[in-house]
């Protein structure tokens, strides 16, 4: 499950990222509303962990923006504000869960898994295209009952394409999906993973649009 952590405390942010990765999640983290908006434009996340007190505004502003745009991504509000009025406002604006600081990491991970199992999220956890099904919760691909062995980054490339099956995704867009904010990008990584995916799924499964990027081919 891909998680975006929006938290201004750098120590807590780094700790959450390490802890959630060890718990089986794929976390990314930012420290401001501006960076959060940029991350949400660049990639798709299954759940958000949202602090309220951020250096450039309130996390509730971002929550309200998401719900006005009818974005159903589950949001867990994580904050030191534990007054009932703050909780009520967050829930009224569309938060799915609320956890006060200090908190237990195992409880946070359990709550995130529960959010990922909700119907609104489950409807997006098994995209299908041209006979191939992705199980995002289990990080598995299959054709019918046959499993297709994919590396984590091959899975990430295919997930990005299947999230936007008729769109052309540029190489840079796919790189943003593959790499964290501070990871060094290998120049030919996308091409290598597309080549490997074609070997496993069929050469015509992914089209190259010259000068633009890649997209999934229409079903035959």
């Amino acid at each position: 499950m891909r998680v975006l952590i929006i938290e201004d405390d750098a120590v807590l942010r780094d700790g959450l990222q390490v802890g959630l990765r060890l718990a089986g999640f794929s976390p990314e983290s930012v420290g401001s509303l501006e960076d959060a908006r940029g991350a949400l434009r660049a990639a798709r996340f299954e759940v958000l962990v949202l602090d309220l007190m951020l250096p450039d505004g309130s996390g509730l502003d971002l929550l309200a923006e998401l719900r006005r745009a009818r974005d159903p991504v589950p949001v867990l509000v994580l904050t030191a504000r534990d007054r009932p009025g703050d909780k009520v406002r967050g829930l009224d604006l569309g938060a799915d869960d609320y956890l006060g600081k200090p908190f237990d990491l195992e409880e946070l991970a359990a709550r995130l898994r529960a959010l990922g199992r909700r119907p609104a999220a489950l409807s997006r956890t098994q995209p299908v295209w041209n006979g191939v099904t992705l199980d995002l919760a289990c990080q598995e691909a299959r054709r019918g009952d046959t499993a297709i062995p994919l590396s984590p980054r091959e899975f990430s490339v295919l997930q990005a394409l299947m999230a936007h099956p008729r769109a052309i995704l540029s190489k840079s867009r796919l790189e943003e999906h593959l790499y964290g904010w501070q990871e060094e990008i290998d120049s030919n990584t996308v091409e290598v993973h597309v080549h490997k995916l074609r070997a496993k799924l069929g050469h015509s499964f992914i089209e190259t649009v010259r000068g633009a990027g890649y997209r999934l081919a229409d079903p035959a």
Side-chain angles (χ1 to χ4, degrees):
M1 186 186 301
R2 196 168 190 196
V3 180
L4 179 62
I5 302 162
I6 307 165
E7 165 63 57
D8 69 325
D9 184 320
V11 174
L12 176 57
R13 186 170 68 242
D14 292 345
L16 282 172
Q17 192 159 358
V18 171
L20 290 179
R21 183 172 290 113
L22 291 174
F25 296 88
S26 298
E28 297 285 348
S29 65
V30 296
S32 68
L33 290 177
E34 180 181 0
D35 287 344
R37 293 181 179 111
L40 291 167
R41 285 192 297 268
R44 176 180 172 275
F45 296 90
E46 278 69 55
V47 65
L48 308 185
V49 176
L50 178 63
D51 185 28
L52 293 189
M53 301 179 67
L54 296 166
D56 52 349
S58 170
L60 293 179
D61 296 335
L62 178 63
L63 177 59
E65 291 171 15
L66 291 170
R67 298 313 185 225
R68 282 196 300 268
R70 300 185 182 277
D71 188 330
V73 61
V75 176
L76 183 146
V77 171
L78 181 67
T79 180
R81 293 183 180 179
D82 58 0
R83 297 191 302 270
D86 292 323
K87 293 183 180 181
V88 169
R89 187 175 176 221
L91 294 170
D92 282 346
L93 285 173
D96 298 271
D97 201 355
Y98 206 111
L99 189 60
K101 301 174 185 176
F103 60 90
D104 180 81
L105 183 60
E106 290 186 4
E107 180 183 358
L108 173 62
R111 287 173 179 257
L112 294 178
R113 287 192 291 268
L115 290 178
R117 291 193 295 267
R118 289 189 178 180
L122 286 174
S123 67
R124 306 190 302 277
T125 60
Q126 294 197 352
V128 179
W129 187 262
N130 211 2
V132 174
T133 301
L134 286 190
D135 187 327
L136 304 185
C138 298
Q139 296 284 290
E140 295 176 347
R142 63 181 184 273
R143 180 175 272 132
D145 294 328
T146 303
I148 303 170
L150 300 178
S151 72
R153 286 192 166 168
E154 289 166 9
F155 188 94
S156 291
V157 170
L158 186 57
Q159 177 185 349
L161 291 167
M162 290 181 71
H164 309 279
R166 298 187 183 278
I168 300 170
L169 299 189
S170 67
K171 178 181 175 180
S172 61
R173 177 75 178 273
L174 290 172
E175 286 172 343
E176 289 170 351
H177 197 81
L178 279 170
Y179 291 95
W181 290 83
Q182 298 182 358
E183 289 184 88
E184 184 176 350
I185 297 174
D186 294 330
S187 61
N188 66 338
T189 297
V190 170
E191 289 89 342
V192 169
H193 291 317
V194 168
H195 175 77
K196 291 181 178 179
L197 285 169
R198 284 171 171 159
K200 296 175 180 181
L201 304 174
H203 184 76
S204 62
F205 195 88
I206 300 172
E207 294 181 342
T208 298
V209 181
R210 292 191 180 278
Y214 301 93
R215 69 180 171 195
L216 297 183
D218 288 330

